[in-house]
Amino acid sequence: MSERINPRVVGVGAANVDVHGQSRKAIIMRDSNPGYMATSVGGVTRNILENLARQGLPVALLSAAGDDLYGEKIVRDSTAAGIDMSHILIKPGAASSSYIAILDERGDMLLGMSDMRIIEDLPTSYLDANAELLQNAEAIVCDACLPVQLLDYLISVTAGKTPVLIDPVSTAYARQMEPIVGKFYAIKPNEMELSILSGLPAETELQIERACEELLNRGVQRIAVSRGEKGCYYADSMGNRLYRALRPVSQMVNATGAGDAFMAGFTHALVNRLAVEDMLDYALASGITAIQSMTTINPDMSDALVRENRNRYRL
């Protein structure tokens, strides 16, 4: 286990081992196909924390892992990346969270499958045991993969002392968390997730604005809607409303980690109390930094590189 620290940001969510397999030729179904295999540590919340750690913020993860090889890898690799894993719940005999993706010869995903049962029954007593850690953090990040009852309990444990930020992750998980969306301090949906969370269409800019107003009326304090190459739309309870974008990157290496990095940059800027425009530019530049790497998390991710990209791609 890693040495305990005083984290500025605590993450609550899944930590996975991701297995990716890409076929070298056209896939033949129901047969063995030669390909390329890669294994890495993932999970939305864990990835957000790794980006934050590489940007220089002390972070800690609350999650569960089994006492298996995957669990050992999750703890070892996350610790090496700078995440405090000393609070993680180890469940003897349980299978650690894992995800597998099968890609065709062009790199398009043919099939994905996840086993996150270990996080589905994470007990509320675990959050109680770490209540002091949660209440003393400057921010909490989580993802909607957690059961909605646990997300609701997480907010009650913080008792308004720590802002809770959430990434909806997908339309399916957005639908799951919709009943309690107004309890979160900040959310980072894409346009499809925004539509589900608000119950309103979110295809045009006017519709996006109206959908955000609906969520602000429910109690959300800050909303950052990720819009891909178009940047983001931001609205908050203080009256700020703006679209923000950086110049598009001429060559994107891998887009898979952009959302996690954006959320990390947004959280980083929030706890450092940057002005709204600077906060969004930092989040967008974090996303740009992520897509400049073949891996989901850019090993060169740092505060200095994010600031460099922010200055380079500012409009």
Side-chain angles (χ1 to χ4, degrees):
M1 296 293 181
S2 59
E3 181 182 352
R4 290 179 184 245
I5 59 174
N6 294 315
R8 297 184 67 186
V9 179
V10 175
V12 184
N16 309 332
V17 166
D18 296 337
V19 180
H20 289 85
Q22 180 173 352
S23 181
R24 283 188 274 169
K25 299 179 180 179
I27 287 182
I28 301 173
M29 299 301 295
R30 303 182 186 280
D31 199 1
S32 178
N33 292 264
Y36 308 99
M37 304 293 292
T39 304
S40 60
V41 178
V44 172
T45 296
R46 198 216 67 87
N47 288 350
I48 293 168
L49 291 184
E50 180 170 341
N51 279 301
L52 282 167
R54 292 181 182 276
Q55 291 174 356
L57 261 64
V59 298
L61 177 65
L62 296 183
S63 187
D67 58 349
D68 52 9
L69 290 175
Y70 277 1
E72 292 176 9
K73 180 175 178 60
I74 288 168
V75 173
R76 181 181 65 249
D77 291 7
S78 299
T79 300
I83 302 172
D84 178 4
M85 300 292 286
S86 64
H87 306 274
I88 196 166
L89 178 66
I90 301 297
K91 293 186 175 182
S96 295
S97 185
S98 59
Y99 171 81
I100 186 168
I102 302 299
L103 313 178
D104 64 20
E105 73 280 8
R106 297 180 302 275
D108 293 328
M109 188 170 71
L110 183 69
L111 176 68
M113 185 178 297
S114 63
D115 181 356
M116 301 177 68
R117 289 171 296 168
I118 195 168
I119 206 78
E120 291 172 0
D121 61 353
L122 197 64
T124 56
S125 59
Y126 174 61
L127 297 183
D128 290 333
N130 289 284
E132 185 176 354
L133 181 77
L134 292 164
Q135 293 171 5
N136 289 333
E138 294 178 54
I140 296 167
V141 294
C142 59
D143 62 72
C145 299
L146 292 170
V148 67
Q149 297 86 353
L150 192 70
L151 289 170
D152 199 15
Y153 194 77
L154 170 63
I155 296 168
S156 70
V157 168
T158 63
K161 296 181 179 179
T162 312
V164 181
L165 297 78
I166 189 165
D167 187 331
V169 178
S170 70
T171 55
Y173 285 124
R175 193 169 287 108
Q176 176 177 291
M177 64 166 277
E178 183 273 330
I180 62 167
V181 64
K183 296 184 179 183
F184 292 96
Y185 176 79
I187 59 173
K188 184 209 70 79
N190 60 26
E191 293 165 353
M192 291 187 297
E193 293 158 359
L194 174 65
S195 178
I196 289 171
L197 291 171
S198 65
L200 297 171
E203 296 178 4
T204 68
E205 290 188 350
L206 181 58
Q207 289 174 341
I208 290 171
E209 294 162 18
R210 287 175 175 169
C212 287
E213 295 302 322
E214 167 65 22
L215 293 179
L216 291 172
N217 289 336
R218 291 196 209 171
V220 180
Q221 301 295 301
R222 298 178 187 260
I223 306 168
V225 183
S226 57
R227 306 182 68 219
E229 290 185 356
K230 295 180 181 179
C232 65
Y233 174 70
Y234 174 84
D236 64 31
S237 60
M238 288 75 75
N240 295 295
R241 308 283 189 277
L242 69 154
Y243 291 91
R244 198 75 177 176
L246 299 179
R247 286 191 294 109
V249 178
S250 58
Q251 187 172 3
M252 178 174 61
V253 179
N254 180 3
T256 57
D260 297 343
F262 180 97
M263 185 64 162
F266 184 77
T267 306
H268 182 130
L270 182 67
V271 300
N272 282 296
R273 297 175 174 80
L274 298 189
V276 169
E277 291 84 354
D278 292 333
M279 177 173 64
L280 298 177
D281 285 352
Y282 194 93
L284 291 165
S286 296
I288 286 175
T289 304
I291 67 176
Q292 293 172 333
S293 169
M294 280 296 296
T295 53
T296 300
I297 297 174
N298 188 338
D300 296 325
M301 174 69 72
S302 68
D303 178 61
L305 183 55
V306 171
R307 292 178 183 273
E308 180 183 323
N309 280 328
R310 179 194 62 187
N311 296 334
R312 178 183 301 168
Y313 290 99
R314 260 183 177 158
L315 293 170

